[in-house]
Amino acid sequence: MFEYPQLCIDTDVIGKNSRKVTELCKKAGMSVWGVTKGLSGHPDVARAMLEGGCIGIADSRCLNIHRMKSAGVQGPFLLLRIPMPSELAFVARNVDVVLLSMAETLEALDAECRKSKKECGVIIMVDMGDLREGIWPDEACRMGEALRKCKAVRFLGVGANFGCLSGVLPTETNLSGLVAVGKEIAASAGSDLEVVSGGATSSLYLLEENRMPHGVNQLRVGEAILLGTDVTGGREIPYLEKGAVEVLAEVVECRRKPTKPIGEIGADAFGRTPVFEDRGDRLRVIVAMGRQDVIPEGLAPSLEGATIIGASSDHLTIDVEDTGRSFRPGDILRFRPDYGAMLAASTSRYVNVRIL
Ligand SMILES: *Cc1c(COP(=O)(O)O)cnc(C)c1O
């Protein structure tokens, strides 16, 4: 019971994709942190990434890091989201590398680390134009001075985000700029610049084209390893496998119905007014999965000829006329999720996670 909807994860594929990405990076002298947040820090996913050559596990959530540590995943662990002051006690005790952008938080983390007699590495985030987290480049000296005062927090280097809030792409120009800011911070902190963390999946194309600026030596990669896609670059990555993550749902109704609803049309359950074209009677199925389980717009049916008609909280309706097949209650339909749908499915308590 409670087997469906199901999020099916093939850790062999995740391991193989990790290996492909880490080898590509290694050729350019770069290392890779495997990013597990898309699958809520599943310990088996983390293990597959580490076996595939990732130097550590990065996640945005302390709760996910806690989950992996409790399951015996070795780490090291990097916290991707700049920390909430309220979670610094956990961070000091459990996280090896932290991304940071505020001097106040840096001081508070240093105090926590001293209290718990632990060392912690920091990567200072620099805003190279995407306008999410990060210091502005002209704050380099001031941040360096704050780092110089730290006793238990060690400056490792700098990092930047691209394609997150604003869709700004990583380029040779903005990544060279990041390296330059890193050197400034290091000089003012009186430390070496060990790490320049040049982004995520969307930075891989620069490596493929041999255009990664000198000095960038790390990436934090999730989407490419988990899905084989690069949403920011709008592409499937040709050398990576796509089928590591699938969503499965069970058929609860199958009948031929008109394509145009009968009656006056108001808003649907989510306040939208749908528009339907009359295509005559067509075969459709309902699977027992809806908005409480996934983001239906992010699903692609694996079955050729099947198209999603719509979804409510608990039901997903699919046109299967062109599949040339018949269906019965209890049949299972498979879907490829995009990153958002995968994230939602792995977060929903109604979705059963199955590791292959
Ligand atoms: C999620 C995240 C990543 C990984 O991004 P992908 O596009 O999945 O590779 C990298 N860095 C930060 C800060 C993130 O939050």
Side-chain angles (χ1 to χ4, degrees), residues 233-272:
R235 64 178 186 138
E236 295 204 341
I237 302 174
Y239 51 90
L240 297 177
E241 284 185 43
K242 309 288 156 341
V245 183
E246 276 192 316
V247 175
L248 277 60
E250 187 168 349
V251 173
V252 290
E253 183 182 302
C254 176
R255 45 172 60 87
R256 190 160 270 107
K257 288 189 183 179
T259 38
K260 198 166 169 63
I262 298 142
E264 269 178 63
I265 304 286
D268 69 9
F270 291 85
R272 290 173 274 230

Side-chain angles (χ1 to χ4, degrees), residues 35 37 80 99 132 161 200-201 220-223 339:
V35 175
K37 69 184 187 213
L80 285 169
L99 307 185
R132 201 178 70 182
N161 252 311
T201 294
R220 315 169 300 266
V221 181
E223 187 192 353
Y339 198 88

Side-chain angles (χ1 to χ4, degrees), residues 306-352:
T307 54
I308 293 173
I309 298 167
S312 51
S313 307
D314 309 297
H315 301 80
L316 184 67
T317 319
I318 302 136
D319 184 315
V320 290
E321 182 72 31
D322 296 338
T323 63
R325 282 188 34 181
S326 61
F327 295 86
R328 294 186 359 200
D331 285 349
I332 303 300
L333 289 192
R334 313 173 79 93
F335 303 84
R336 288 271 166 86
D338 68 8
Y339 198 88
M342 170 178 71
L343 189 73
S346 89
T347 306
S348 172
R349 58 185 288 251
Y350 299 99
V351 176
N352 176 34

Side-chain angles (χ1 to χ4, degrees), residues 167-226:
V168 170
L169 292 167
T171 58
E172 285 163 282
T173 312
N174 53 28
L175 281 175
S176 305
L178 176 65
V179 177
V181 176
K183 286 179 179 161
E184 265 185 78
I185 298 179
S188 111
S191 316
D192 291 336
L193 181 64
E194 289 170 40
V195 174
V196 177
S197 186
T201 294
S202 60
S203 295
L204 285 173
Y205 85 97
L206 286 169
L207 270 177
E208 294 163 26
E209 297 173 6
N210 266 318
R211 286 164 53 203
M212 186 61 79
H214 186 72
V216 180
N217 58 9
Q218 283 189 5
L219 292 181
R220 315 169 300 266
V221 181
E223 187 192 353
I225 291 173
L226 300 176

Side-chain angles (χ1 to χ4, degrees), residues 4-16:
Y4 299 102
Q6 188 176 92
L7 183 66
C8 208
I9 304 170
D10 188 335
T11 46
D12 283 348
V13 174
I14 290 172
K16 281 195 242 169

